[in-house]
Amino acid sequence: MSDRDRTKTDLQKELERLRRRIAELESRGAGDGRPEDLRANEMRCQLLLDTMIHGVQENDCSGVITYSNRAHHRILGYENGELVGKTIWQLLPPGGEQGALREYLAYLVKEQPKPAPYLSVSRKKDGSLVDLQIDWDYQRDDAGRLKGFISVITDITERKQAEAKLRKVTRLYALLGQINQTIVRTKDQDELFRSICQVAVEFGQFRMAWVGLIDEATGIVLPVAHAGQEEGYLTVLSIRIGDETTGKGPTGSALLEGALTICDDIATDPRMLPWREEALKRGFRSSAAIPFRKKEKVIGSLNLYAAEPGFFTEDERKLLTEIGVDVSYALDALEREKERKLAEEARWESERKYRTLFDSATDAVFILDLDGNILDVNRTAHTRLGYTKQEMVSMHVSRLDPPEFAVRVPERLAQMSRSGVAVFESAHLRKDGSVMPVEINGRLLEYEGRQVYFSIVRDITERKKSEEALRESEERLRLALSAAKQGLYDLNVQTGETVVTPEYASMLGYTPEEFTETNARWIERLHPDDRALVADTYRAYVGGEIPDYRVEFRQRTKSGEWKWILSIGKIVEFDVSGNPLRMLGTHTDITDRKRSEQERLELERRLLYAQKLESLGILAGGIAHDFNNLLMAVLGNLDLALRKVSPVSPARLNIEQSAQAARRATDLTRQMLAYSGKGRFIVKPMDLSELVEENTHLFRASVARTATLDIRLGRSLPSIEADVGQVQQVIMNLITNAAEAIGDSSGRIIITTGMQECDAQCLKQSRLEDVPPAGRFVYLEVSDTGCGMDEQTQQRLFDPFFTTKAPGRGLGMSAILGIVRGHGGSIFVESGPGRGTSIRILFPAFEGARTESVASAGAPAAEAGVPAMSGTVLVVDDEEIVRMVCKEMVETMGLQVLTAVDGRDAVDVFTRHADSISHVILDLSMPNMDGMAAFTELVRIKPGLKVILSSGYDEQDSLQRLSGPGLAGFIQKPYSLQNLRDALAKAGIAGK
């Protein structure tokens, strides 16, 4: 099979097969020592690629061309090998198409849709453009992973040019056809010229067309008709046949020589010099003058102007010449018709009294006796049927009818005898046997002293064709409406009676036979919420308040479902008083569009909500961090004050109460950190069911006696990675909310754990915008039989400081949101007024081995025998009040203290006192040089240095950014004197 006989798909498959075979031989060749098979296949593949007429290109997933055969280089004008290494968008013309191709490649790599060929325009090496068709497919490795793309590229430039040429010729053929139709329809010369100009502009897409006739007395060409963008051009046009200047242009030459004359470029053709400026001003760039004749004499020309130079090709010139012949024939026909009418009028005048009845009729006329024999016919009758008048006279009329109509002739004659008149459709047989459909209007009359049947017979061939065309058009319309999910309606505004198309019935699930539409039934099917809108819109339109009737509403289908309908209508008939009588319109099924709009709005709402929660989370985290610094100063100073006052001092109680209040404020900041997602402390694998079981007594104690607690735990569940304290806080917050929803009434709270597989569609229902990957999850569900929540309350359920309880702070559910977000989980809520509430928390299942948390593994335990507290500690914090409190705390332990205001200052101080400093208490968030950079620099200067990190954020968030030698522990602000003592002890300083 030759390369030309192969389809592009076959070529792609063959190339891929050969490349796989080469890869197979490469891998096999390393073991069996037969590289000749590999080389043979490589040569065969290369020979195939080099002899193809189609370009072949391979590129990787980043768009870089990794292979291009000779045909591809030849198509784009490059030397062999120059394309390799270029990106595919470098081959496109400059502009937006390059960015679009990048996006399309990224989409193919990500989504990998079914390959489909596409058309493109590429830039050749010389800068010219070439039209290409690109058939492509994916390239995958042995494991099925996408590694790139292979494309078969075909130069379709000649095909595109041929298509453009065909369109132009087709347009001229259409113009020729329309002119011929105009010739057939038009009976007047002036109307013929006007119509031809209009048709030339509309169907030939010429910028302007005009007809000029020669004034035989002066030789001047007089414009008699025009169409298009004339803009006064003909007023400045002066053409005289034979004139040395004005008679040498295309029009003058065509009229003088009697042949088609073309001007390919008005801007350069010297013949157009007298009119060039005016022509170019109006956008004329090329023209054609087509002479026509009457009785073999050139009397004028049709002149066409195009907007581009070189518009008229050789094929088009032949068609233009044919147009001139057709116009000449039409003029001769009009002249003959004019002459024929004059002759007929003279003859009719002589026979007027006798032949008035027959010859004034344009239809066929028959006179029959009462038995059906033909007494007389007019000329139309016998010529139309192909007989002579003598042949038809005395013929029985049934002989003119096909058999199926002939049998009814006696019945028709009897009908005329009874009622005096009969109108019906029939058919006549022409003498040559062809059938002509006719409409017969027969009457019983007196003629020359006796009763006869006088029948006017009209040829309805064209009407029948029109009716058939109308039926076909209606069928096409029906199919189009069906494809567009549209139905038509015709409403009697006065009675409400409505006629609809079958498509509308099908749209609502009915068969056309069972669907009878009235205005009342239509209103009955309307959704109750839409009736007022539809009624108001209809009244406003009928009353003239709005210009258009256009309204969207829901209609109930046969199955009871609701479909969204777009109704557009227009009043098309009024009575003499201006009252509307009839309204026509369409009903379009827009259910899919409405569903898409609703999904888009829901996505936008969820995005805005996520952005709001994210902003509030950042705000809450920042506030909690700064507040922890302030609480550090408060608690530290209160601890120091307690050491300085006597145990029996009256002020001691006040100090202790202040310290207790500060610690409660610390709990508040922990909830704010939890909401911000920065509240995880010790994360480790854990069994959720065991956690619930171990704390059952605590949970039961938090529930009022009026409510019962039902615990349903799943066994053998996968572990989850979580902070135990925070998961306890989640459960307690949910139980507390459930108990408050039940209130003083009796009710039940159910705690359930289990395992659940969730796909992406399921996870989209989560109240968290950060949706985890699909997979296995361990869930905790707390359900209650309380009062439930309406939709508005559910929308604000996780907003910080939103509460429906008078004494509440509104941080419980916000903290749950932050904790679950920090653990990469999801939240699902089901509730309704009077139906209780069910909240399900999903944690990703942990598949690894159980490990210790960072906090538990961070600092080494103090070794036995460490000397009593002695040495020097460097305290680094940018907050002066925190720095001073920490300094005084350390000094109370008998240690020497140096301080630094930021990371850079800490490095400077440490450099001067590195030998004496054994420990550093280092804040993480500081200007100039933050804690992470300072930590790295300090342990570099002194590798054995022990550093205790300090932060207003939690340990997990802080330590996950730092690890390695030198990290001796973590202490979270605010901390007490005892907390600091314990941290220093764990870092290797023993107490005195």
Side-chain angles (χ1 to χ4, degrees):
M1 182 171 62
S2 70
D3 182 64
R4 293 181 179 270
D5 295 329
R6 298 171 184 255
T7 65
K8 295 181 179 63
T9 302
D10 292 333
L11 289 172
Q12 290 175 329
K13 291 181 178 178
E14 177 68 10
L15 289 173
E16 185 61 24
R17 187 190 69 77
L18 287 173
R19 294 197 177 278
R20 289 184 180 275
R21 177 60 178 165
I22 291 171
E24 177 185 344
L25 290 173
E26 285 176 338
S27 61
R28 185 188 302 172
D32 60 13
R34 295 184 61 189
E36 61 275 9
D37 290 342
L38 174 60
R39 287 193 298 271
N41 278 281
E42 285 179 334
M43 292 178 63
R44 189 181 305 116
C45 178
Q46 190 62 47
L47 179 61
L48 171 65
L49 294 173
D50 288 343
T51 56
M52 288 175 61
I53 63 171
H54 298 287
V56 177
Q57 166 192 293
E58 294 179 349
N59 61 272
D60 60 21
C61 293
S62 64
V64 176
I65 298 173
T66 58
Y67 173 78
S68 175
N69 71 343
R70 291 181 179 178
H72 188 207
H73 283 80
R74 183 181 67 255
I75 290 171
L76 295 181
Y78 285 87
E79 294 296 328
N80 198 31
E82 287 184 339
L83 290 176
V84 176
K86 293 182 178 293
T87 60
I88 56 177
W89 38 83
Q90 284 180 289
L91 304 182
L92 295 181
E97 292 299 325
Q98 295 185 355
L101 183 57
R102 291 174 186 264
E103 294 177 0
Y104 183 59
L105 180 63
Y107 163 76
L108 294 180
V109 172
K110 180 180 179 182
E111 301 295 337
Q112 298 188 26
K114 181 179 180 181
Y118 64 94
L119 302 182
S120 177
V121 177
S122 290
R123 182 177 57 182
K124 300 174 69 171
K125 184 176 180 180
D126 62 6
S128 61
L129 301 182
V130 58
D131 290 299
L132 302 177
Q133 176 174 316
I134 300 176
D135 299 80
W136 61 275
D137 206 340
Y138 300 101
Q139 283 190 316
R140 303 182 185 276
D141 59 19
D142 292 338
R145 293 184 297 267
L146 179 64
K147 66 176 184 178
F149 301 85
I150 182 168
S151 304
V152 176
I153 300 167
T154 305
D155 184 350
I156 59 170
T157 303
E158 293 183 0
R159 190 184 82 189
K160 298 285 275 189
Q161 292 172 349
E163 289 172 351
K165 179 179 179 181
L166 178 61
R167 285 194 297 271
K168 184 182 290 187
V169 173
T170 301
R171 186 172 71 245
L172 286 177
Y173 271 116
L175 171 61
L176 179 62
Q178 289 296 323
I179 288 178
N180 287 333
Q181 291 184 33
T182 300
I183 289 172
V184 172
R185 293 193 304 265
T186 306
K187 303 302 180 183
D188 176 77
Q189 177 174 290
D190 293 338
E191 179 60 26
L192 175 64
F193 291 151
R194 286 192 297 269
S195 298
I196 289 175
C197 290
Q198 192 65 37
V199 166
V201 170
E202 291 183 3
F203 290 89
Q205 299 180 9
F206 293 103
R207 198 167 184 86
M208 199 264 284
W210 65 280
V211 170
L213 297 180
I214 302 172
D215 184 340
E216 294 184 354
T218 63
I220 294 174
V221 180
L222 302 176
V224 295
H226 71 271
Q229 301 180 25
E230 184 268 339
E231 300 175 352
Y233 180 71
L234 297 179
T235 61
V236 300
L237 194 67
S238 175
I239 300 174
R240 184 188 296 271
I241 304 301
D243 185 89
E244 285 297 321
T245 302
T246 64
K248 298 299 183 179
T251 300
S253 299
L255 293 173
L256 184 64
E257 299 167 6
L260 172 70
T261 303
I262 301 295
C263 172
D264 285 322
D265 192 348
I266 293 175
T268 59
D269 193 333
R271 296 175 299 172
M272 288 295 296
L273 182 61
W275 313 282
R276 178 176 298 157
E277 181 178 353
E278 294 296 330
L280 294 178
K281 188 188 301 182
R282 292 162 176 81
F284 306 155
R285 288 301 305 273
S286 59
S287 68
I290 308 163
F292 49 77
R293 295 168 170 79
K294 181 188 286 187
K295 293 185 177 180
E296 302 300 325
K297 180 180 180 181
V298 175
I299 65 167
S301 66
L302 170 63
N303 306 281
L304 306 176
Y305 293 80
E308 62 266 27
F311 179 85
F312 302 96
T313 64
E314 186 62 32
D315 291 337
E316 292 162 343
R317 298 183 187 202
K318 294 177 181 178
L319 291 175
L320 294 178
T321 301
E322 189 173 347
I323 288 174
V325 173
D326 291 346
V327 173
S328 300
Y329 173 82
L331 293 175
D332 287 343
L334 288 176
E335 188 66 16
R336 288 193 299 271
E337 180 66 13
K338 181 179 179 181
E339 294 173 351
R340 186 186 65 79
K341 287 183 178 180
L342 291 174
E344 284 185 354
E345 287 174 2
R347 181 170 56 84
W348 286 350
E349 183 61 27
S350 65
E351 299 178 356
R352 181 176 57 84
K353 292 181 181 180
Y354 181 74
R355 305 298 301 177
T356 298
L357 181 62
F358 280 12
D359 295 333
S360 63
T362 57
D363 294 318
V365 179
F366 291 75
I367 299 177
L368 312 177
D369 63 19
L370 297 184
D371 293 325
N373 297 308
I374 299 174
L375 299 177
D376 201 357
V377 295
N378 69 348
R379 185 171 181 271
T380 303
H382 66 80
T383 55
R384 181 179 292 167
L385 295 176
Y387 292 96
T388 64
K389 184 174 182 177
Q390 291 73 19
E391 287 175 326
M392 293 186 66
V393 171
S394 300
M395 181 187 295
H396 195 274
V397 71
S398 61
R399 290 177 56 189
L400 298 177
D401 293 350
E404 62 270 24
F405 290 99
V407 297
R408 303 190 63 185
V409 168
E411 177 187 342
R412 300 297 190 188
L413 296 177
Q415 180 184 354
M416 282 191 283
S417 296
R418 288 193 307 269
S419 60
V421 64
V423 180
F424 54 93
E425 289 187 5
S426 183
H428 280 172
L429 284 171
R430 296 186 181 90
K431 188 176 182 179
D432 61 7
S434 60
V435 178
M436 176 180 65
V438 295
E439 180 184 72
I440 300 176
N441 188 326
R443 297 178 181 274
L444 187 63
L445 297 176
E446 288 285 337
Y447 176 72
E448 295 183 349
R450 60 174 174 170
Q451 283 192 323
V452 296
Y453 298 124
F454 181 84
S455 298
I456 299 176
V457 180
R458 176 164 296 169
D459 181 0
I460 58 173
T461 301
E462 292 302 320
R463 190 177 82 186
K464 287 293 184 180
K465 290 180 180 178
S466 299
E467 290 173 353
E468 180 62 25
L470 178 60
R471 281 192 293 272
E472 292 177 357
S473 177
E474 289 173 344
E475 177 62 17
R476 287 195 296 271
L477 176 60
R478 186 192 66 78
L479 293 174
L481 292 174
S482 177
K485 296 184 179 180
Q486 281 190 331
L488 299 180
Y489 66 86
D490 186 344
L491 170 66
N492 186 321
V493 178
Q494 302 298 320
T495 66
E497 295 179 356
T498 309
V499 178
V500 299
T501 58
E503 289 75 21
Y504 181 48
S506 300
M507 187 189 304
L508 299 178
Y510 294 92
T511 63
E513 293 76 20
E514 64 182 337
F515 190 79
T516 303
E517 182 71 308
T518 64
N519 202 34
R521 291 179 179 175
W522 178 73
I523 293 174
E524 181 184 353
R525 287 196 309 273
L526 275 176
H527 194 286
D529 295 344
D530 299 336
R531 290 175 183 172
L533 170 65
V534 174
D536 292 343
T537 305
Y538 179 75
R539 280 194 295 268
Y541 174 66
V542 172
E545 299 174 19
I546 56 177
D548 301 304
Y549 177 74
R550 183 186 183 92
V551 64
E552 296 178 358
F553 51 81
R554 287 161 286 183
Q555 282 248 296
R556 186 177 60 250
T557 65
K558 183 180 179 180
S559 63
E561 298 176 337
W562 295 101
K563 276 197 174 183
W564 275 100
I565 304 296
L566 168 63
S567 180
I568 300 175
K570 184 177 182 62
I571 295 174
V572 296
E573 188 175 344
F574 299 85
D575 63 15
V576 292
S577 301
N579 299 314
L581 296 178
R582 186 182 179 199
M583 183 173 176
L584 298 179
T586 61
H587 283 157
T588 306
D589 181 357
I590 59 171
T591 304
D592 292 341
R593 192 194 80 190
K594 280 290 187 179
R595 186 180 298 113
S596 298
E597 290 176 355
Q598 186 63 32
E599 291 175 357
R600 178 179 58 80
L601 292 174
E602 177 63 18
L603 288 174
E604 290 177 355
R605 184 197 66 76
R606 289 168 67 92
L607 176 61
L608 291 174
Y609 184 69
Q611 291 172 340
K612 180 182 74 173
L613 293 184
E614 181 182 6
S615 300
L616 289 173
I618 294 171
L619 177 62
I623 292 174
H625 175 269
D626 293 344
F627 198 46
N628 275 338
N629 278 333
L630 297 175
L631 288 174
M632 173 67 227
V634 173
L635 282 173
N637 280 302
L638 290 174
D639 268 358
L640 293 171
L642 284 173
R643 291 177 56 85
K644 295 176 181 179
V645 300
S646 169
V648 296
S649 171
R652 189 174 186 86
L653 178 61
N654 299 104
I655 295 174
E656 289 175 345
Q657 289 177 345
S658 297
Q660 183 179 3
R663 282 189 287 273
R664 291 182 63 188
T666 301
D667 293 336
L668 179 61
T669 62
R670 286 197 181 97
Q671 290 196 61
M672 295 175 69
L673 282 173
Y675 169 70
S676 69
K678 298 182 177 181
R680 294 195 298 167
F681 292 95
I682 302 175
V683 177
K684 62 182 180 180
M686 57 170 284
D687 188 310
L688 183 59
S689 293
E690 288 182 6
L691 176 66
V692 175
E693 192 169 34
E694 291 170 359
N695 291 274
T696 299
H697 65 286
L698 176 62
F699 299 151
R700 292 189 187 280
S702 64
V703 176
R705 294 182 179 180
T706 57
T708 60
L709 184 63
D710 186 2
I711 298 179
R712 304 172 182 176
L713 302 178
R715 298 303 178 184
S716 301
L717 299 179
S719 298
I720 64 171
E721 277 195 311
D723 179 271
V724 173
Q726 289 202 338
V727 176
Q728 287 175 337
Q729 181 183 349
V730 168
I731 301 172
M732 284 298 298
N733 286 2
L734 292 176
I735 293 175
T736 301
N737 278 5
E740 290 175 347
I742 294 173
D744 297 331
S745 305
S746 61
R748 186 169 61 166
I749 301 173
I750 304 172
I751 302 177
T752 308
T753 62
M755 197 272 288
Q756 179 178 350
E757 293 279 351
C758 289
D759 58 16
Q761 190 64 31
C762 170
L763 293 170
K764 284 184 179 179
Q765 308 304 315
S766 171
R767 292 303 181 96
L768 284 173
E769 298 304 320
D770 297 330
V771 178
R776 289 205 307 168
F777 294 84
V778 178
Y779 68 82
L780 167 76
E781 183 174 271
V782 177
S783 305
D784 65 70
T785 58
C787 59
M789 298 178 287
D790 58 21
E791 184 62 30
Q792 185 176 6
T793 302
Q794 291 185 52
Q795 292 298 328
R796 301 192 61 192
L797 180 61
F798 298 102
D799 287 2
F801 311 112
F802 171 74
T803 179
T804 58
K805 306 183 291 289
R809 294 193 300 265
L811 285 174
M813 296 305 294
S814 302
I816 291 175
L817 182 75
I819 291 170
V820 176
R821 181 197 294 127
H823 285 76
S826 295
I827 303 177
F828 297 88
V829 179
E830 290 186 10
S831 185
R835 296 193 291 110
T837 299
S838 176
I839 298 180
R840 176 171 289 198
I841 308 295
L842 267 60
F843 297 97
F846 176 64
E847 307 296 343
R850 302 178 69 90
T851 58
E852 294 296 328
S853 70
V854 176
S856 63
E863 297 179 2
V866 174
M869 283 192 178
S870 63
T872 303
V873 176
L874 175 61
V875 176
V876 186
D877 200 300
D878 63 314
E879 293 285 348
E880 182 179 6
I881 189 169
V882 176
R883 189 169 64 249
M884 292 300 100
V885 168
C886 182
K887 177 179 181 295
E888 187 172 350
M889 284 180 170
V890 176
E891 287 175 341
T892 63
M893 303 175 197
L895 298 169
Q896 298 296 317
V897 179
L898 297 174
T899 62
V901 299
D902 55 37
R904 193 180 303 281
D905 188 25
V907 173
D908 293 340
V909 173
F910 185 79
T911 301
R912 294 194 302 270
H913 304 280
D915 293 338
S916 61
I917 296 174
S918 62
H919 292 74
V920 178
I921 300 174
L922 178 64
D923 184 30
L924 278 176
S925 301
M926 296 181 295
N928 295 328
M929 180 186 287
D930 63 13
M932 289 190 292
F935 171 82
T936 304
E937 185 64 19
L938 291 175
V939 297
R940 185 191 65 79
I941 296 171
K942 187 175 182 179
L945 181 66
K946 300 295 180 67
V947 180
I948 300 172
L949 297 180
S950 174
S951 175
Y953 293 121
D954 62 77
E955 179 178 3
Q956 185 73 21
D957 185 64
S958 301
L959 292 186
Q960 68 182 2
R961 297 181 292 171
L962 286 176
S963 62
L967 182 58
F970 174 82
I971 185 167
Q972 184 185 9
K973 301 175 186 177
Y975 49 81
S976 65
L977 180 60
Q978 186 59 45
N979 297 145
L980 183 58
R981 184 185 300 276
D982 294 342
L984 287 170
K986 288 181 181 180
I989 300 181
K992 289 185 179 180

